[in-house]
Amino acid sequence: MQILTSLLAGLVFGLGLILSGMADPAKVLGFLDLAGAWDPSLALVMAGAIAVGLPAFALARRRAVSLIGAPMRLPKARQVDRRLVGGSLLFGIGWGIAGFCPGPALVALGMGLAPALVFVAAMLAGMGLFEAIERRRARERTRPPLRSP
């Protein structure tokens, strides 16, 4: 049941990304081009997403399990730190260069768009690099300190 629900949610999300134009890098770059031929239509998409998401997240915060019985896993961290700001900057730079963010890139990849293949490959490489760095940091935190002679 959980897999079918996840598949259905992914299909609805992907369809929404296609219908809204979020899977079209030219549309996204037009939205981000504030000094040029700015296309404000994605602002309406984002406002609609926020309008739908706010009550859904408010409801989710009050529950321990989802409607299909899966444990509710919401982010608990509320601190804005260097890692969050750095990751946000990298995300924004990547979005501005490619016109894709992860969800639309996967949709565009499914549509057979070649630039999406490059973006997804770079995204996966970045995720792998992040994971390797996090493992190394975790090992260093648990390693006993070296004794000086």
Side-chain angles (χ1 to χ4, degrees), residues 56-71:
F57 275 96
L59 176 65
R61 281 193 191 102
R62 288 189 241 140
R63 301 179 59 95
V65 294
S66 69
L67 295 175
I68 60 171

Side-chain angles (χ1 to χ4, degrees), residues 114-139:
L117 179 63
V118 174
F119 181 89
V120 170
M123 179 178 74
L124 292 174
M127 291 167 69
L129 178 62
F130 173 79
E131 187 66 29
I133 292 170
E134 285 299 303
R135 281 192 198 141
R136 183 176 179 171
R137 290 178 70 189
R139 277 195 310 266

Side-chain angles (χ1 to χ4, degrees), residues 37-147:
W38 185 53
D39 177 2
S41 61
L42 289 184
L44 292 174
V45 172
M46 292 179 187
I50 291 170
V52 170
L54 278 177
F57 275 96
L59 176 65
R61 281 193 191 102
R62 288 189 241 140
R63 301 179 59 95
V65 294
S66 69
L67 295 175
I68 60 171
M72 196 65 73
R73 295 183 193 144
L74 296 173
K76 294 184 174 107
R78 297 190 176 268
Q79 183 180 0
V80 176
D81 58 9
R82 285 185 349 183
R83 294 181 64 194
L84 178 64
V85 171
S88 300
L89 285 172
L90 283 175
F91 179 90
I93 291 168
W95 196 35
I97 290 172
F100 286 121
C101 61
L106 293 174
V107 170
L109 182 64
M111 295 167 54
L113 298 179
L117 179 63
V118 174
F119 181 89
V120 170
M123 179 178 74
L124 292 174
M127 291 167 69
L129 178 62
F130 173 79
E131 187 66 29
I133 292 170
E134 285 299 303
R135 281 192 198 141
R136 183 176 179 171
R137 290 178 70 189
R139 277 195 310 266
E140 289 174 0
R141 279 193 299 263
T142 59
R143 184 180 304 159
L146 295 175
R147 294 182 187 174

